[in-house]
Amino acid sequence: MTASFVHDWIELDGAYNVRDLGGLPARTGVTRAGVLLRADALDDLTDDDVICLVEQRSLAHVFDLRSQSERDQRGRGRLGATAVAYSELEVIVEADLERRRLERSMAFASGDEPEQVLATGYAELLDLGRTAFPVALTRLVAPGGTPALVHCAAGKDRTGVLVALLLDAAGVDRTAIVADYAATQERMAPIIERLAAASAFHAMAEQVPAFVYEARAGTMERFLALLDERWGGAASFFTANGAEPDSVDRWRALFLAEV
């Protein structure tokens, strides 16, 4: 059963899966508010949404994990016209996106357990994003790296993996990491409605079951187990794949507050 946490939702008109990751329990304290946010795509933000993020939340840095084609099609929207810094980190290229869709379709058709299929796919993102994810950590701890917001299209898969890595590296309780991931399920309906306007969504929807668009706790629990099995946790993953040696310690100092 997923533990219950109060999630700091940020209610916007042009994005639905937006929340501040402050207040999560960790081994040596609690995560600070106003350091790390997560979201779905930001290209439909209104002027008031931008004011909320930039002026009221002091957003300084956006980490855009979408593919190049997604960015070409949708752009940055109004937020791109502000002074907010952007890091465009392509976690997965188009060829791999299509391959993964086909492989998942075959796995589901074979009767493989859905949560395990998705968790295995997230574990593969650790290889596909082996460069992008450590770069994100290095830039987060650099001057001007925060307050930061991480997003992809739905804010569930690519964003879910990077956020889980960042939370785990900071020492956030695993139950809180799982609960944060599962909270996305509350906001998936309007996200799917928006994605349905894209032709690429229809092509994918024909290949995979509706479960792919859900955020279940069991998926994240299994991913974290795979992360431990392969890398021994997020801190080891980051340092083994090019993050600056002291970046994990700097991230913990930046993100955690004593209680």
Side-chain angles (χ1 to χ4, degrees), residues 101-125:
R101 289 169 186 162
L102 292 173
E103 289 177 352
R104 282 190 296 182
S105 178
M106 293 173 61
F108 288 127
S110 299
D112 293 353
E113 206 283 319
E115 292 178 359
Q116 187 63 43
V117 173
L118 287 187
T120 300
Y122 288 178
E124 186 191 16
L125 286 181

Side-chain angles (χ1 to χ4, degrees), residues 79-120:
L79 193 60
T82 70
V84 172
Y86 264 77
S87 286
E88 295 180 339
L89 302 176
E90 192 168 35
V91 174
I92 181 169
V93 299
E94 295 301 319
D96 283 319
L97 276 170
E98 181 61 21
R99 173 187 57 78
R100 280 163 57 85
R101 289 169 186 162
L102 292 173
E103 289 177 352
R104 282 190 296 182
S105 178
M106 293 173 61
F108 288 127
S110 299
D112 293 353
E113 206 283 319
E115 292 178 359
Q116 187 63 43
V117 173
L118 287 187
T120 300

